Amino acid sequence: MTRKRIIAPILFGVCLAIGMYTLNFARATRQSPIPPQTTLPVPFTQQITSCAKGVRVVKAEVVNAGTSNATVEVQIENVSDLGITAVSLEATNDRASYTVTLRSSFKEDRPIIVVKPHQTDTLIMGLVFGDVPLQIGGVFYEDGTEEGCTSSLKTLHEVRDTEKSKKESSNEANPHNPLPSSR
């Protein structure tokens, strides 16, 4: 009989402890659910300059900050009376430069306007160099004029010339058929 008197309170205590642990665990998970992950944009704190007088930076935000796919979205405004056919945004560190462009195809005989006069649009760039200053480097306008930094304009010229040469070589390969062969 003495064994029952010793084992019964121990079992009762173990059951009571398990019950209290279960209740506390259930209450804790109900009170603090794991919040869903959100990617709220945060202001881009580095300086953004413009080599073009006709383009103004309205705002810049970092999306997916702190992740490997963080990007900066730069909203620009065309403050000129001419439509923009191409505009570049560049990030430069000490050794390299990374450029994104907002443009239509340079293969067209007449370029398409990508930002109308006095309208806004957004350029999106990956943060490949981290938080380095950015600049609006070069702009091509609908009338054929251009403005910007020399290096950026050189890059835009190279892209345009490459696309135009690809267009010419595809026309030479099949001058009577504007569409590529489907064979």
Side-chain angles (χ1 to χ4, degrees), residues 50 52-56 76-87 113 115-120 139-143 145-147:
S50 180
K53 294 177 186 173
V55 177
R56 180 178 73 89
I76 59 167
E77 179 182 11
N78 178 0
V79 295
S80 74
D81 293 328
L82 297 169
I84 293 175
T85 58
V87 58
I113 295 173
V115 185
K116 295 179 180 178
H118 307 288
Q119 297 290 315
T120 61
V139 179
F140 287 176
Y141 293 102
E142 65 182 314
D143 67 351
T145 59
E146 56 191 48
E147 67 174 336

Side-chain angles (χ1 to χ4, degrees), residues 29-120:
T29 56
R30 257 187 282 135
Q31 287 179 350
S32 61
I34 299 171
Q37 294 219 345
T38 58
T39 55
L40 297 174
V42 295
F44 184 71
T45 57
Q46 295 295 321
Q47 179 182 11
I48 302 176
T49 59
S50 180
C51 293
K53 294 177 186 173
V55 177
R56 180 178 73 89
V57 175
V58 177
K59 71 177 179 177
E61 295 177 325
V62 177
V63 178
N64 296 325
T67 66
S68 61
N69 59 344
T71 59
V72 62
E73 294 182 358
V74 180
Q75 186 179 21
I76 59 167
E77 179 182 11
N78 178 0
V79 295
S80 74
D81 293 328
L82 297 169
I84 293 175
T85 58
V87 58
S88 68
L89 174 68
E90 62 183 23
T92 305
N93 69 6
D94 295 335
R95 298 173 307 281
S97 178
Y98 180 71
T99 303
V100 295
T101 60
L102 175 62
R103 62 183 170 79
S104 63
S105 174
F106 287 120
K107 292 180 182 180
E108 305 296 323
D109 292 330
R110 185 170 182 187
I112 298 169
I113 295 173
V114 293
V115 185
K116 295 179 180 178
H118 307 288
Q119 297 290 315
T120 61

Side-chain angles (χ1 to χ4, degrees), residues 11-34:
L11 286 175
F12 179 73
V14 169
C15 290
L16 185 61
I18 290 173
M20 288 177 56
Y21 175 78
T22 304
L23 288 174
N24 282 334
F25 180 77
R27 185 175 37 168
T29 56
R30 257 187 282 135
Q31 287 179 350
S32 61
I34 299 171

